[in-house]
């Protein structure tokens, strides 16, 4: 840790995220919407949920949108709805829920390495894995990590060649676009409304979009214990519904989502411009065929300096986070899958290098500048 005093004079606290600012900016509207549900005393399913689902379907330009209890459940129910019990190819560098849901649905995750530049699953490595052994592989679950769309053109081509289902983990990526289309407009796509996601509820929540009528019916059945009609069960499902109160909050917030993403992009551009000449850093890349959702602004810190930079920023009251410190192929709970250190090296290196900086939409310009000044100061001395 650096002992040196901060020399730029100004001291402030920069939180990694501050949800209060967003709430305060639309408090009356949200409270009114919640009160409508309280007055109705209709908390499970009903009109408010349906209206929100319709609005997300419209927003994502997709036929069906089905609210569920969490992003994790969105993944779980999707794997179930696709009748997948074999292997599901997915990224090793993601939040645990991606693989946890695959396992809990009765399938097995097969972990694939990421591309160094994008943090997303590497299509070439998917192909290689399939060429070596495709006996048991039934689906691919790409993750659009940090808000950046995965290489879907290549993934769709591979899935077509090998007859694989595609279930997208877009928990971090609502509002992002790929080839001019919203994420969630094509295949079965899973979203999360965890409070810190781009569209955050006041608790847990999730949603699945799909254009497939049959899959939609199945997911709608699975979320109510598999009942169709009520009290008659051909399949065993779950209790996994989006609460009406959450839908009431989210429906208000949905109108603001694009504006908030614009702010995230603006913040990302400020960082990009200010940090681009620091040799020890690699900054997030965006390509022309996408709109990055920037749920996270995640840099790489080379030469094993990540933890030292994080400590330094902590000492200056600047909140940062490491997403994720251990790739999933090395998690103890998956030891029976027999992966070992050195198997998926891009992800392992990323785990040592990544650092996410504050990017939330309501971040003040001075807070970003203070963060930038301190990062520059750290590398000046290194
Ligand atoms: C947040 C997240 C999930 C899980 O969503 P919850 O709503 O918290 O259950 C799944 N996958 C990824 C990549 C996530 O970031």
């Amino acid at each position: 840790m650096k002992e040196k005093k901060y020399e730029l004079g100004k001291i402030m606290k920069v939180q990694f995220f501050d949800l209060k600012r967003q709430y305060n900016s639309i408090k009356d509207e949200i409270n009114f919407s919640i009160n409508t549900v309280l007055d109705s005393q209709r908390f499970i399913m009903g009109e408010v949920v349906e209206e929100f689902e319709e609005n997300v379907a419209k927003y994502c330009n997709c036929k069906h949108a089905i609210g569920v209890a969490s992003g994790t459940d969105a993944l779980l129910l999707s794997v179930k709805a696709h009748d997948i019990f074999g292997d599901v190819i997915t990224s090793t560098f993601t939040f645990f829920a991606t693989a946890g849901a695959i396992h809990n649905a009765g399938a097995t995750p097969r972990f694939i390495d990421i591309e160094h530049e994008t943090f997303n699953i590497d299509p070439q490595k998917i192909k290689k894995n399939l060429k070596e052994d495709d006996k048991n592989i039934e689906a691919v679950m790409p993750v659009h990590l940090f808000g950046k769309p995965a290489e879907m053109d290549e993934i769709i081509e591979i899935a077509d060649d090998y007859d694989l289902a595609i279930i997208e983990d877009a928990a971090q990526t609502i509002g992002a676009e790929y080839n001019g289309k919203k994420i969630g407009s094509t295949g079965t796509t899973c979203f999360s409304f965890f409070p810190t996601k781009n569209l955050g509820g006041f608790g847990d929540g999730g949603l699945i979009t799909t254009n497939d009528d049959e899959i939609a019916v199945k997911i709608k059945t699975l979320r109510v214990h598999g009942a169709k009609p009520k009290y008659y069960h051909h399949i065993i499902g779950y209790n996994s519904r989006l609460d009406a109160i959450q839908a009431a909050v989210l429906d208000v917030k949905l109108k603001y989502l694009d504006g908030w993403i614009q702010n995230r992009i603006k913040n990302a551009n400020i960082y990009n411009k200010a940090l681009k000449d620091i040799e020890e850093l690699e900054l997030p890349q965006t390509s022309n065929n996408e709109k990055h959702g920037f749920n996270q602004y995640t840099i790489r810190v080379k030469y094993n300096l990540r933890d030292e930079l994080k400590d330094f920023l902590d000492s200056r009251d600047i909140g940062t986070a490491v997403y994720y410190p251990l790739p999933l192929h090395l998690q103890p709970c998956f030891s029976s899958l027999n992966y070992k250190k050195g198997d998926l090296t891009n992800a392992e290196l990323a785990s040592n290098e990544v650092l996410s900086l504050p990017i939330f939409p309501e971040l003040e310009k001075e807070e970003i500048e203070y963060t930038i000044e301190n990062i520059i100061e750290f590398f000046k001395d290194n």
Side-chain angles (χ1 to χ4, degrees):
M1 271 260 281
K2 303 261 156 167
E3 291 300 329
K4 214 159 62 71
K5 278 258 157 48
Y6 185 54
E7 285 163 353
L8 297 168
K10 207 168 37 175
I11 299 282
M12 60 172 102
K13 183 179 173 67
V14 184
Q15 296 184 78
F16 185 59
F17 52 80
D18 178 3
L19 298 172
K20 284 181 192 162
R21 294 183 198 179
Q22 187 167 93
Y23 176 49
N24 286 331
S25 73
I26 49 172
K27 197 170 190 165
D28 291 343
E29 213 180 333
I30 295 227
N31 289 2
F32 180 83
S33 189
I34 291 174
N35 275 320
T36 310
V37 178
L38 298 186
D39 286 336
S40 79
Q41 288 291 299
R42 176 115 201 233
F43 298 113
I44 308 293
M45 310 295 278
E47 250 173 50
V48 179
V49 174
E50 276 167 31
E51 206 174 296
F52 173 63
E53 288 174 336
E54 270 168 37
N55 287 334
V56 177
K58 237 179 269 163
Y59 178 81
C60 287
N61 200 10
C62 190
K63 203 164 167 192
H64 306 280
I66 307 145
V68 293
S70 68
T72 306
D73 275 9
L75 297 167
L76 173 73
L77 268 59
S78 295
V79 176
K80 280 279 183 189
H82 281 268
D83 279 318
I84 290 158
F85 297 98
D87 289 3
V88 179
I89 280 183
T90 194
S91 170
T92 188
F93 193 65
T94 172
F95 179 56
F96 180 79
T98 311
I102 292 170
H103 172 87
N104 286 336
T108 307
R110 186 177 294 210
F111 296 118
I112 302 291
D113 209 354
I114 53 168
E115 299 172 316
H116 181 91
E117 301 76 20
T118 66
F119 299 117
N120 282 326
I121 195 165
D122 184 339
Q124 293 314 313
K125 288 176 184 155
I126 299 178
K127 219 184 238 173
K128 189 161 168 277
N129 212 266
L130 282 158
K131 271 188 187 142
E132 281 164 8
D133 160 32
D134 72 343
K135 281 193 294 294
N136 217 17
I137 300 173
E138 293 178 17
V140 51
M141 186 181 283
V143 183
H144 307 297
L145 202 72
F146 304 145
K148 183 178 174 67
E151 302 289 342
M152 290 309 292
D153 282 343
E154 289 168 70
I155 291 169
I156 290 169
E157 199 184 307
I158 295 167
D160 283 349
D161 285 350
Y162 287 86
D163 197 21
L164 307 176
I166 300 176
I167 298 166
E168 296 170 52
D169 182 342
Q172 302 179 1
T173 310
I174 192 162
E177 292 174 18
Y178 183 79
N179 287 344
K181 287 189 198 144
K182 280 256 155 55
I183 293 291
S185 62
T186 48
T188 302
T189 305
C190 303
F191 296 104
S192 163
F193 305 126
F194 186 83
T196 58
K197 303 291 161 87
N198 281 8
L199 181 62
F202 288 3
D204 281 310
L207 182 137
I208 299 140
T209 57
T210 180
N211 288 316
D212 185 320
D213 297 338
E214 213 176 301
I215 292 288
V217 169
K218 234 164 152 183
I219 292 170
K220 283 182 184 173
T221 311
L222 283 165
R223 74 174 165 178
V224 288
H225 305 281
K228 194 174 189 293
K230 210 170 180 182
Y231 306 122
Y232 290 85
H233 303 258
H234 292 281
I235 54 173
I236 301 170
Y238 303 85
N239 175 353
S240 185
R241 296 167 293 228
L242 181 67
D243 282 338
I245 287 183
Q246 296 305 334
V249 171
L250 293 164
D251 205 35
V252 171
K253 285 194 168 193
L254 182 61
K255 296 191 299 250
Y256 297 96
L257 178 60
D258 283 340
W260 289 332
I261 291 174
Q262 279 317 317
N263 278 358
R264 289 175 179 276
I265 292 170
K266 194 180 78 197
N267 292 345
N269 287 337
I270 297 174
Y271 280 128
N272 279 343
K273 212 169 145 198
L275 301 176
K276 67 177 188 324
D277 293 330
I278 300 180
E279 195 269 326
E280 293 91 339
L281 299 182
E282 285 176 30
L283 307 179
Q285 312 269 318
T286 41
S287 41
N288 292 330
N289 69 337
E290 72 184 13
K291 177 180 171 183
H292 194 315
F294 279 111
N295 182 240
Q296 300 298 343
Y297 182 85
T298 304
I299 59 173
R300 282 171 173 271
V301 189
K302 295 190 271 185
Y303 315 123
N304 269 318
L305 288 169
R306 193 266 315 272
D307 292 340
E308 212 182 310
L309 174 61
K310 185 175 187 352
D311 286 346
F312 179 75
L313 295 175
D314 278 349
S315 79
R316 299 294 164 90
D317 258 346
I318 297 166
T320 60
V322 173
Y323 300 130
Y324 298 92
L326 187 65
L328 299 188
H329 70 282
L330 299 178
Q331 296 288 345
C333 67
F334 291 126
S335 63
S336 64
L337 299 176
N338 289 322
Y339 292 94
K340 56 185 187 315
K341 207 166 174 186
D343 281 349
L344 305 173
T345 48
N346 281 354
E348 290 167 25
L349 181 65
S351 289
N352 290 327
E353 291 189 341
V354 285
L355 189 65
S356 298
L357 305 179
I359 178 90
F360 64 92
E362 299 79 16
L363 202 64
E364 300 285 343
K365 194 152 182 264
E366 294 138 40
E367 293 174 307
I368 302 183
E369 280 166 0
Y370 177 71
T371 305
I372 288 166
E373 283 165 11
N374 276 288
I375 294 172
I376 290 171
E377 192 194 333
F378 174 82
F379 285 110
K380 227 185 251 150
D381 300 343
N382 246 284

